Amino acid sequence: MAWIVPLVVGVFLVASLVPQSRSFVITVETGGLSLVVTKSALSNWLFPQAHVCLRREANLESAPASGIAECDSRAYEVRKASDLNVAWTPGTELRITRGGETASLRIEIRPGEAPPTTASFLQGEPATPVEIPLPVGSFIVVKGGDWPDNGPLGFYGFAVLGSKPSPGSRSHLISGRYEIRETLFLRSNPIAVAGSSFFAGDQVSVVSAQGSKPLPVEGFIDVAENQRNRGFGVIVHAVATKGRMMVERSGAETAYITSRWFERAANDPIIIGAAVLLGLLMSVVELFTRLRSIG
């Protein structure tokens, strides 16, 4: 009978080391984000002021005035848009970039299998409602002066944060950190069991536990918290109980990051308390056993 209580406490400790759910919270400042949208309802973007660059079927010989340096008006028809609203079609592939002081945010529609997304906005004086498709090769530009006043851009899909540094590229990850949160046995609230910082130039994504199949994440794009003139901020939340984080770094092997049992044990006060209790109970049992052998 003296072993029943320690046995129960020990079973609880072992069960507590197996997570019931796991999520990754990733916060970065980056110059680039690759995204494949999978849920339109969570990927509805609003821009108070923006320019839409629509790819022409054939280039013009001379460039009409467009008022925007980021868009070659010989290859693109440029539309200045107010209250631009875009609900991205599932399957749309995007590349979002911003690099350098006062730079514009650039959202490029990459080749994919999704039908074109339709954008609605106000154009001209007086403002007139307009709807247009956004074909592959088109992009949206939010000028650097307008970007700090823009609201967050939510998304749900497969995301790759940053890119490996290359000559002329400014889409690399600038800074950031991650936190792994887990819900443990008989607990309703998740706890932080692990976390650390990224290096500049890391490329980060959430993938399956086996291999590197991408897993969907939910997040939003916003103005960078600390440095408003460099890149943009991204916050990602991924519920991936059977997933892990993949970090690709120049000059190093790909790293796969997940939580480990000793990190749970070191960060959960209930596990720490139960371990202390188990130690005390074992001491009592040992003392009781010795006393009985003497008697």
Side-chain angles (χ1 to χ4, degrees):
M1 292 294 293
W3 287 96
I4 292 178
V5 175
L7 180 62
V8 171
V9 175
V11 170
F12 173 79
L13 280 173
V14 172
S16 292
L17 295 175
V18 179
Q20 307 301 300
S21 68
R22 177 187 298 123
S23 63
F24 297 87
V25 180
I26 304 170
T27 304
V28 301
E29 181 183 355
T30 181
L33 166 67
S34 294
L35 175 65
V36 178
V37 174
T38 58
K39 287 187 180 180
S40 182
L42 298 176
S43 307
N44 195 332
W45 294 3
L46 176 64
F47 305 93
Q49 298 293 331
H51 287 78
V52 181
C53 300
L54 300 170
R55 184 76 189 182
R56 300 184 188 277
E57 293 185 1
N59 290 0
L60 302 179
E61 293 184 1
S62 59
S66 66
I68 178 170
E70 293 85 356
C71 186
D72 185 349
S73 57
R74 291 171 298 182
Y76 296 89
E77 177 188 353
V78 183
R79 303 268 192 109
K80 184 177 181 180
S82 299
D83 294 333
L84 175 64
N85 191 294
V86 183
W88 296 109
T89 303
T92 301
E93 298 185 23
L94 302 173
R95 180 64 178 163
I96 301 103
T97 54
R98 182 176 187 260
E101 293 186 0
T102 69
S104 299
L105 184 77
R106 188 176 188 271
I107 303 161
E108 180 186 1
I109 303 170
R110 306 295 294 273
E113 298 180 357
T117 294
T118 298
S120 62
F121 58 95
L122 300 177
Q123 178 178 282
E125 294 291 344
T128 304
V130 177
E131 285 194 2
I132 55 171
L134 299 176
V136 169
S138 302
F139 58 93
I140 296 169
V141 174
V142 182
K143 288 189 173 182
D146 296 326
W147 170 236
D149 298 323
N150 208 96
L153 308 174
F155 62 83
Y156 188 95
F158 307 118
V160 178
L161 308 174
S163 64
K164 292 183 179 180
S166 59
S169 172
R170 294 186 175 182
S171 61
H172 63 281
L173 189 142
I174 299 168
S175 64
R177 62 174 290 105
Y178 70 89
E179 188 176 84
I180 302 176
R181 302 184 67 84
E182 294 182 342
T183 302
L184 303 180
F185 182 61
L186 296 181
R187 256 64 62 79
S188 58
N189 296 322
I191 63 167
V193 297
S196 188
S197 299
F198 297 115
F199 289 109
D202 285 349
Q203 180 174 293
V204 182
S205 57
V206 178
V207 299
S208 57
Q210 302 295 328
S212 56
K213 179 182 178 180
L215 297 179
V217 302
E218 185 173 353
F220 63 90
I221 301 165
D222 204 355
V223 177
E225 180 179 357
N226 298 317
Q227 302 182 52
R228 295 169 67 86
N229 290 328
R230 293 181 62 200
F232 53 93
V234 183
I235 296 179
V236 163
H237 180 257
V239 178
T241 304
K242 296 184 179 180
R244 54 186 178 170
M245 194 168 57
M246 182 170 69
V247 179
E248 299 175 83
R249 183 174 298 159
S250 296
E253 292 185 1
T254 299
Y256 294 96
I257 299 173
T258 187
S259 61
R260 290 162 288 190
W261 69 266
F262 56 84
E263 291 171 324
R264 300 181 196 111
N267 288 280
D268 185 3
I270 295 180
I271 292 180
I272 295 172
V276 172
L277 177 60
L278 179 61
L280 291 174
L281 290 172
M282 293 297 293
S283 298
V284 170
V285 169
E286 178 67 19
L287 178 60
F288 180 76
T289 302
R290 287 177 178 269
L291 291 174
R292 287 193 61 184
S293 64
I294 294 173

